[in-house]
Amino acid sequence: MGSLGAILKHPDDLYPLLKLKMAARHAEKQIPSEPHWAFCYSMLHRVSRSFALVIQQLGTELRNAVCIFYLILRALDTVEDDTSIPTEVKVPILIAFHRHIYDRNWHFSCGTKDYKVLMDQFHVVSTAFLELGKGYQEAIEDITKRMGAGMAKFICKEVETIDDYDEYCHYVAGLVGLGLSKLFNASESEDLASDSLSNSTGLFLQKTNIIRDYLEDINEIPKSRMFWPREIWSKYVNKLEDLKYEENSVEAVQCLNEMVTNSLIHVDDCLKYMSALPEPAIFRFCAIPQVMAIGTLAMCYNNINVFRGVVKMRRGLTAQVIHRTKTMADVYGAFFDFSCMLKSKV
Ligand code: D9A
């Protein structure tokens, strides 16, 4: 896209980036006046502009719950990600995190930049969490508990088999899908989606991230983070890090293609999940990340640059996805287009 032909076909999309910028400015102006909520929304805006943008259309109660859920998960993630925390300190924090969210006096400093601010000001997130309805609080607590326990399990365990890979992705992302389905259901606008379909939406997003972020994770200091399953990469190299060396380019791309193919297993479930969401705002919130994911996979397939730097959708393309994803027909259209792109590369 971006060609003259595409512009002529969609004259209403001449300025998707401009529209995105206007929407972002509007979102910033909507920051609430109570200081703890203002902090939570500006924090969300800083760690993920597009996420903050897409949740704007949700009703206030659900939007607040999703904002707090996101920040709590980011905080849990910051603890898991910080490779400088010793295991014996980290594991108890992960396991007890679902109790810390109720405790305005709990504090643990870690992470860097925005994530350090989030950790240092976590009591503000707790304050906002305690104002959510009971149904939302319980759903968030339940997921935080299961995710913390799962992360703790994988601190001392490597991702060996494809089953391990699915299990790890279930803890860090599938559970997010389950949790969001519960929040949608608690907001009374949505029937409860099946756990298996909700799980698949998270697995599809997370597997895409794991593929895209290969180089960043392998180069992590002081210690690499390795999520690609040995069962797949061991067919191509002796060590996962060998994929980044130029002499292994052929094997690297073959391995990458097998990883992409593995994540495509979830597409069917994801489409089923989305097609059962009747509320337009919730639908868009769920559909935009899924379209971004299939787009990212199409870009990554057969692409050696995954092992050289970052392969990301351009900002203009992201803006187009956000503005053009409104109905299930749009989603089918986008999945069809990106599948054709994949097919042409196979
Ligand atoms: C999500 Cl509450 C995520 N993750 C995402 C973002 O989307 C999902 C983290 C916390 C929450 C939600 C998401 C959105 C809508 C419906 C969902 C869902 O399920 C029904 O989660 C499954 O990536 C992180 C996990 C994949 C680990 C769950 C989208 C997002 N995208 C990034 C882009 C990027 O490059 O990471 O955050 C961004 O906008 O910055």
Side-chain angles (χ1 to χ4, degrees):
M1 280 292 183
S3 68
L4 186 61
I7 289 169
L8 292 175
K9 252 194 258 165
H10 300 276
D12 56 330
D13 281 343
L14 261 173
Y15 308 111
L17 253 179
L18 184 66
K19 280 198 204 164
L20 187 69
K21 281 190 177 144
M22 285 165 60
R25 197 163 304 148
H26 178 72
E28 253 173 334
K29 278 194 194 141
Q30 291 217 313
I31 285 180
S33 55
E34 291 155 287
H36 53 299
W37 285 105
F39 172 84
C40 290
Y41 278 98
S42 69
M43 196 71 233
L44 183 70
H45 201 264
R46 277 212 262 169
V47 296
S48 178
R49 275 176 150 271
S50 53
F51 193 87
L53 202 79
V54 175
I55 70 164
Q56 281 309 312
Q57 345 142 36
L58 300 175
T60 313
E61 270 192 23
L62 179 60
R63 182 176 68 225
N64 286 347
V66 170
C67 172
I68 297 308
F69 188 37
Y70 188 94
L71 293 177
I72 287 173
L73 297 175
R74 274 296 167 124
L76 189 60
D77 215 48
T78 303
V79 176
E80 188 212 20
D81 262 0
D82 190 329
T83 41
S84 70
I85 309 170
T87 306
E88 64 275 16
V89 177
K90 192 185 280 195
V91 167
I93 294 174
L94 294 175
I95 290 174
F97 211 83
H98 65 287
R99 287 192 266 113
H100 301 325
I101 59 182
Y102 287 95
D103 179 2
R104 265 180 277 209
N105 297 313
W106 180 80
H107 176 250
F108 182 76
S109 192
C110 65
T112 58
K113 298 181 229 160
D114 288 337
Y115 302 104
K116 183 171 166 29
V117 179
L118 174 64
M119 295 312 293
D120 285 337
Q121 304 298 317
F122 195 73
H123 63 277
V124 183
V125 179
S126 286
T127 302
F129 170 77
L130 292 166
E131 285 179 15
L132 299 175
K134 241 326 54 347
Y136 295 120
Q137 285 183 5
E138 280 165 8
I140 294 172
E141 177 189 352
D142 172 56
I143 298 303
T144 307
K145 182 178 178 177
R146 291 158 70 184
M147 189 182 295
M151 284 172 164
K153 179 175 173 183
F154 273 88
I155 293 289
C156 328
K157 182 177 148 64
E158 261 187 58
V159 181
E160 299 272 353
T161 64
I162 294 170
D163 282 346
D164 291 343
Y165 182 47
D166 284 13
E167 187 185 352
Y168 175 74
C169 291
H170 164 73
Y171 294 135
V172 302
L175 285 172
V176 180
L178 264 69
L180 284 168
S181 295
K182 281 197 200 182
L183 298 183
F184 302 157
N185 180 251
S187 80
E188 281 168 325
S189 47
E190 216 66 55
D191 292 338
L192 187 60
S194 89
D195 283 358
S196 160
L197 293 185
S198 307
N199 186 51
S200 294
T201 65
L203 261 60
F204 186 59
L205 300 184
Q206 183 63 9
K207 287 184 174 184
T208 303
N209 292 342
I210 286 175
I211 292 168
R212 185 197 61 193
D213 298 337
Y214 165 84
L215 193 64
E216 199 184 305
D217 290 333
I218 209 81
N219 288 341
E220 186 69 37
I221 297 166
K223 211 171 145 277
S224 309
R225 309 232 49 200
M226 294 189 277
F227 304 112
W228 289 33
R230 181 187 297 271
E231 190 178 337
I232 291 180
W233 60 255
S234 65
K235 293 186 214 167
Y236 305 95
V237 280
N238 294 321
K239 281 187 294 180
L240 181 58
E241 67 184 57
D242 291 348
L243 292 174
K244 73 174 172 180
Y245 303 119
E246 219 166 303
E247 66 263 32
N248 300 321
S249 294
V250 173
E251 289 82 3
V253 167
Q254 288 171 348
C255 182
L256 169 65
N257 292 349
E258 187 171 341
M259 289 290 290
V260 173
T261 306
N262 169 279
S263 49
L264 294 175
I265 297 169
H266 306 292
V267 165
D268 231 57
D269 278 359
C270 294
L271 292 173
K272 265 202 206 105
Y273 178 88
M274 288 183 276
S275 68
L277 296 168
E279 223 284 301
I282 293 176
F283 172 81
R284 288 195 69 212
F285 165 64
C286 293
I288 289 167
Q290 299 289 327
V291 173
M292 296 290 295
I294 187 79
T296 303
L297 290 176
M299 286 186 59
C300 287
Y301 195 89
N302 227 18
N303 186 347
I304 190 66
N305 292 326
V306 171
F307 304 97
R308 305 285 178 263
V310 230
V311 174
K312 264 202 162 173
M313 301 241 296
R314 284 183 303 103
R315 247 169 73 73
L317 192 54
T318 303
Q320 287 187 15
V321 168
I322 293 178
H323 283 287
R324 283 189 197 159
T325 308
K326 301 221 159 74
T327 67
M328 200 56 209
D330 301 332
V331 170
Y332 288 135
F335 271 74
F336 182 81
D337 291 345
F338 287 124
S339 303
C340 292
M341 202 172 134
L342 271 165
K343 192 179 167 195
S344 73
K345 292 210 218 174
V346 174

